[in-house]
Amino acid sequence: MNMRREQLAIDPEKCTGCRRCMIACAMKHHGRIDPDLSRVNIIGLDSKDLNVPVICMACDTAPCIKVCPMNARIRQANGTVTTDTDVCIGCRACVYICPVGSPRINPYTGRTMTCDMCEGETEPWCVAACRQEKALTLCTQGSVSHRAARKAASKTKQFHTGG
Amino acid sequence: MKLVIIGNGIAGNQVAFDVRKKDPDAQIVILSAEDVPEYDPCSLPYFLGGECGRMDVFRKTSKDYADGRIDLLYDSKVVSIDPENKTVTTHTGEKIGYDNLVLAHGGDLFIPPIPGIDTPGVFSCKQLGETQKLAAHKGTRAVVIGSGAIGIEAAEALKRKGYEVYIIELMDWILPSLFDEPTAKRLENELTGYGIQVFTHEKVLEIKGAGQVIAVVTDRRTIDCDTVVVATGVVPGTALAQTAGIETGRGIQVNRQMQTSVPDIYACGDCVETIDACTGEIAMFQLKHNAIEQAQVAARHILGEPVRYLGAYAFARAHFFDTHAATFGKTQRALDCVFGDKRIVEREDQNNYLRVVMLDNRIVGGQAIGTFADELGLLIGAMWRKDDFLDIAAKMRTLPKGGAVHAWPMVRLGTLLGM
C-alpha cells in the first residue's frame, strides 16, 4: 500500500467560501474557469454560513477502489487515488461509498474525478490559491497535521484487526 | 509451501497475488474452470451494452501471472477434495497436491426450474463466455427474468443495443433484496420512462420454442420474444466443499480468519457465509468489495500474520441511463423480524429521494436516488460508528448557527438527514 507522502489539510474555520481553490483546480486540470470541473468541493452548510472544503483523503483501505465495477479507481505512486477516465462509465459507485463524499462528477463527461495533488507541480494549485486564508494547506510527511490526517484516513471502513 | 487456489475470480486472484507479494518462494497454483485470465463480472453488463470493450473487463493479463510466477491452469474444474492426503481431483482425473487450499470458486447462477429453460436463446450474464454469446446474439425482443442488480444492468445493456426489453419479477417490486417499495417503485417508473417494461408479482411458467425461443409465458400474459436472460440470483457453491466434509450452511462456513472446519483449507468470496460487520448476524453479501477483503484476510493468515476479519457489509448501486441510485445496510423489510424501535426518515426533492432506516436510533441502512446518493457515504460512516441519532438531533439543536465550525462533520450529517 502506498502511503500518501503529502497531505492536504483543511481548516473550515478559515474558509470564507470564496471558491478560488475550485477555480484554480479547474484551471489546472481543464484549463477552464468552471467550478463544476474542480476536484475540491466547497460545501455550504447552515444556509451557507459554514463552508467546508471537501477533498479526497486517499484512505489507506480506500473503499472506492474495491467497489468500482470497471476497476477504474487506481492508487497512484504518490499515494493518491484517481479515476482512469478511459474506462470509467460514470456509475458513481465511488461517490456513494466515499466516507466524505469526495469524488466529483465531471458534468460534461459524466465521469468522476478526484484530487491528484497536482502531480509534478511544486505545490497544488488550490493551496496556492488559498495562501492568504490558509484554509487549504499542504502538510508533509512527519508533520503533526500529516499524522493526524493519515490516522483519520486509516480508520475508514476498517475491515480487519491485527498486524 | 504449495498454495492451491480453486477459482480464478476476484477472491482467488487477490489471495494469490497478496501471498506472492510477501512470499517469493511459495508455489502458487490457480485452478480455473474457465479459459481466460481474471475478469470482473461487474463489468460484463457494460461490455454487453457496448459501453466498454472486451479488453476492459479483464483485471489481469497472462503476463501478470507469468511475472508473479503463478501457475494458472485453465479448464480445470475441481470435482473433489481429499483432505486426508491433501489432494484435489479435477474433472479429467488429475490429482494435485497442496499444503494450503483456498476455495474461491464463487457462486453458481441459480437456474429456476422453468420448462424450456435450456432452449437456445436463453442466456445469462454472470460469466464471460455466456455474456459473449449474448452479445453476439442477434435479436429484437428480450425478456429478463429477475430484477436483481444483474437483471437491471442487463436490461439496460440490451435496451442500448436496440432491443425491446421486458423485465419480469416474481416479488412485489424490483430489486427486492436491495430496496424498499417506495424507492423501488420510483426506480420502476424511471425504467418505464426509458421504455423498459416492468412486470412485478408475476411468475414465469414456461419458455416456449423448439430450437429457438419464441415466447415467455407468465401467470398473467404471454410475451413474444427471441431472447431470454436469466438473472435470478447467485447461490454459493457448496457441493465441492461437502466432498471434503467441510461444514456448510447457506454457504461454506468460515471463522474470522477465513478458515473452514477442515485444517489448511480456507474459503473466501461468493462461496462463503459470513457475518454482517454492523449487526453480527449471519449474512450473504456476495459483493466484490467483500470478496476482496475476505481474500486479503485469508492471504494474511496463510502468511502467518495475526488477523481478524470484522465482517462484510452490504453496499450496492443501481445505475441505468441517467438514473443513479444506491443502497447500503438493511432494508425496512429485512428489519421486519427484528425487535426494536424502528424509524424511517424520508426526504424528497423532485426526482431525488432519500430513505434512512433506523433501529433503536442507530442507522442500519439507507437508500437514495439522485443527488441525495452523492453523500450516502456519510450515512455508511454513521452506521459503521453506530452514531446515536437522538444524540445528533439534540446536539444539532444546541449548535450556534454558522458558528459551529468545530462540529462540521455532524452539521453535514444532520443537514443530509434534514435536521
Side-chain angles (χ1 to χ4, degrees):
Chain A
M1 198 176 301
N2 289 310
M3 276 285 286
R4 194 154 154 179
R5 289 188 297 274
E6 290 176 324
Q7 176 75 43
L8 282 172
I10 61 164
D11 189 345
E13 199 153 1
K14 291 178 182 159
C15 181
T16 60
C18 72
R19 288 168 173 72
R20 278 208 307 274
C21 53
M22 296 176 73
I23 290 173
C25 184
M27 275 301 286
K28 157 74 185 157
H29 294 99
H30 300 275
R32 288 167 64 172
I33 297 176
D34 185 349
D36 284 349
L37 288 170
S38 165
R39 280 119 169 96
V40 192
N41 186 18
I42 307 283
I43 51 169
L45 300 169
D46 268 0
S47 321
K48 317 240 182 268
D49 287 345
L50 170 58
N51 296 291
V52 179
V54 174
I55 41 163
C56 173
M57 53 185 192
C59 309
D60 290 356
T61 56
C64 54
I65 299 177
K66 295 176 210 159
V67 299
C68 178
M70 300 306 299
N71 305 293
R73 295 285 296 169
I74 296 159
R75 173 90 59 183
Q76 304 294 344
N78 68 354
T80 56
V81 182
T82 56
T83 302
D84 178 352
T85 47
D86 289 340
V87 285
C88 173
I89 46 145
C91 76
R92 306 187 186 175
C94 53
V95 185
Y96 304 151
I97 195 74
C98 180
V100 294
S102 121
R104 295 199 80 206
I105 318 285
N106 181 327
Y108 305 101
T109 65
R111 287 158 192 186
T112 57
M113 44 192 193
T114 40
C115 174
D116 60 358
M117 298 290 284
C118 292
E119 183 69 7
E121 303 280 334
T122 48
E123 128 182 276
W125 283 32
C126 55
V127 174
C130 199
R131 206 170 280 147
Q132 207 167 4
E133 289 82 9
K134 291 194 170 53
L136 273 169
T137 46
L138 186 69
C139 40
T140 46
Q141 196 162 23
S143 67
V144 175
S145 40
H146 183 270
R147 277 202 297 276
R150 288 325 301 168
K151 200 174 163 195
S154 68
K155 278 188 184 155
T156 58
K157 305 288 183 313
Q158 192 183 15
F159 63 92
H160 66 70
T161 58
Chain B
M1 178 183 70
K2 185 175 182 186
L3 174 64
V4 174
I5 297 161
I6 302 175
N8 187 35
I10 308 267
N13 277 274
Q14 189 75 36
V15 175
F17 283 85
D18 274 15
V19 169
R20 172 56 78 223
K21 222 179 278 173
K22 292 193 182 153
D23 184 350
D25 303 321
Q27 189 191 348
I28 303 173
V29 181
I30 300 180
L31 302 173
S32 171
E34 293 171 71
D35 57 358
V36 284
E38 183 199 8
Y39 62 87
D40 194 332
C42 307
S43 315
L44 293 177
Y46 305 109
F47 158 64
L48 176 62
E51 284 181 86
C52 72
R54 183 175 176 275
M55 287 317 292
D56 290 333
V57 307
F58 289 101
R59 278 165 64 96
K60 299 261 159 45
T61 61
S62 349
K63 188 173 177 297
D64 293 326
Y65 294 95
D67 291 349
R69 287 175 291 114
I70 290 165
D71 298 322
L72 173 59
L73 305 180
Y74 291 132
D75 297 316
S76 303
K77 189 170 167 53
V78 177
V79 289
S80 69
I81 302 165
D82 178 0
E84 293 274 304
N85 301 311
K86 290 191 140 186
T87 56
V88 297
T89 310
T90 66
H91 69 295
T92 55
E94 190 189 352
K95 282 195 192 314
I96 298 164
Y98 65 84
D99 293 324
N100 280 307
L101 180 68
V102 178
L103 305 178
H105 50 287
D108 301 320
L109 193 73
F110 171 67
I111 304 288
I114 301 170
I117 195 86
D118 46 10
T119 313
V122 180
F123 300 92
S124 65
C125 192
K126 171 83 171 77
Q127 289 190 322
L128 182 61
E130 271 292 305
T131 311
Q132 276 176 317
K133 277 187 222 161
L134 176 54
H137 180 73
K138 299 253 185 300
T140 52
R141 287 165 70 90
V143 172
V144 177
I145 304 175
S147 71
I150 298 179
I152 299 287
E153 283 165 9
E156 183 210 2
L158 292 172
K159 186 77 195 167
R160 276 180 194 274
K161 281 166 73 82
Y163 280 76
E164 197 169 321
V165 183
Y166 301 86
I167 297 176
I168 300 173
E169 170 59 49
L170 178 65
M171 308 299 273
D172 291 339
W173 56 84
I174 59 164
L175 294 154
S177 60
L178 299 174
F179 291 96
D180 280 324
E181 190 171 7
T183 330
K185 287 288 177 208
R186 280 178 171 80
L187 292 173
E188 194 180 315
N189 286 341
E190 300 264 346
L191 275 174
T192 314
Y194 295 122
I196 296 174
Q197 291 284 322
V198 182
F199 302 120
T200 53
H201 201 79
E202 270 193 49
K203 189 177 177 184
V204 176
L205 300 177
E206 191 189 352
I207 297 170
K208 279 198 168 168
Q212 168 61 35
V213 172
I214 52 166
V216 169
V217 183
T218 74
D219 51 5
R220 292 223 197 127
R221 72 198 84 223
T222 299
I223 304 167
D224 294 333
C225 63
D226 47 30
T227 311
V228 173
V229 179
V230 181
T232 41
V234 175
V235 285
T238 52
L240 178 62
Q242 281 158 359
T243 66
I246 293 169
E247 283 179 32
T248 57
R250 285 163 71 195
I252 300 170
Q253 291 181 344
V254 288
N255 64 10
R256 297 274 192 158
Q257 283 73 36
M258 309 315 293
Q259 290 169 296
T260 64
S261 58
V262 173
D264 299 324
I265 301 183
Y266 293 78
C268 54
D270 279 4
C271 56
V272 306
E273 170 184 297
T274 177
I275 61 157
D276 185 317
C278 297
T279 64
E281 298 163 348
I282 288 186
M284 302 293 304
F285 301 138
Q286 292 164 305
L287 300 163
K288 182 167 121 182
H289 56 272
N290 293 324
I292 295 176
E293 292 176 354
Q294 290 161 5
Q296 287 173 338
V297 170
R300 291 186 61 161
H301 197 261
I302 290 167
L303 290 163
E305 295 176 22
V307 67
R308 184 179 147 84
Y309 183 51
L310 293 179
Y313 60 99
F315 165 79
R317 89 214 126 74
H319 148 239
F320 43 88
F321 301 105
D322 291 329
T323 302
H324 293 268
T327 173
F328 72 91
K330 293 179 105 102
T331 57
Q332 185 184 10
R333 187 164 63 177
L335 279 184
D336 277 353
C337 333
V338 180
F339 285 118
D341 176 19
K342 298 162 205 169
R343 193 175 344 174
I344 306 289
V345 175
E346 283 180 293
R347 284 189 73 192
E348 202 171 354
D349 167 20
Q350 293 166 344
N351 287 330
N352 307 312
Y353 177 71
L354 175 71
R355 181 183 182 83
V356 183
V357 184
M358 294 197 219
L359 177 68
D360 294 331
N361 299 315
R362 283 175 172 80
I363 294 172
V364 293
Q367 300 145 33
I369 303 175
T371 52
F372 286 121
D374 292 353
E375 288 188 316
L376 203 67
L378 304 181
L379 299 174
I380 305 178
M383 172 177 81
W384 217 249
R385 294 188 302 267
K386 300 191 167 55
D387 283 356
D388 192 312
F389 176 71
L390 284 184
D391 228 28
I392 295 175
K395 279 183 187 150
M396 282 291 287
R397 282 195 294 273
T398 59
L399 289 174
K401 196 164 164 48
V405 178
H406 60 286
W408 68 266
M410 192 199 289
V411 176
R412 196 174 173 204
L413 188 62
T415 309
L416 178 62
L417 289 169
M419 291 196 247

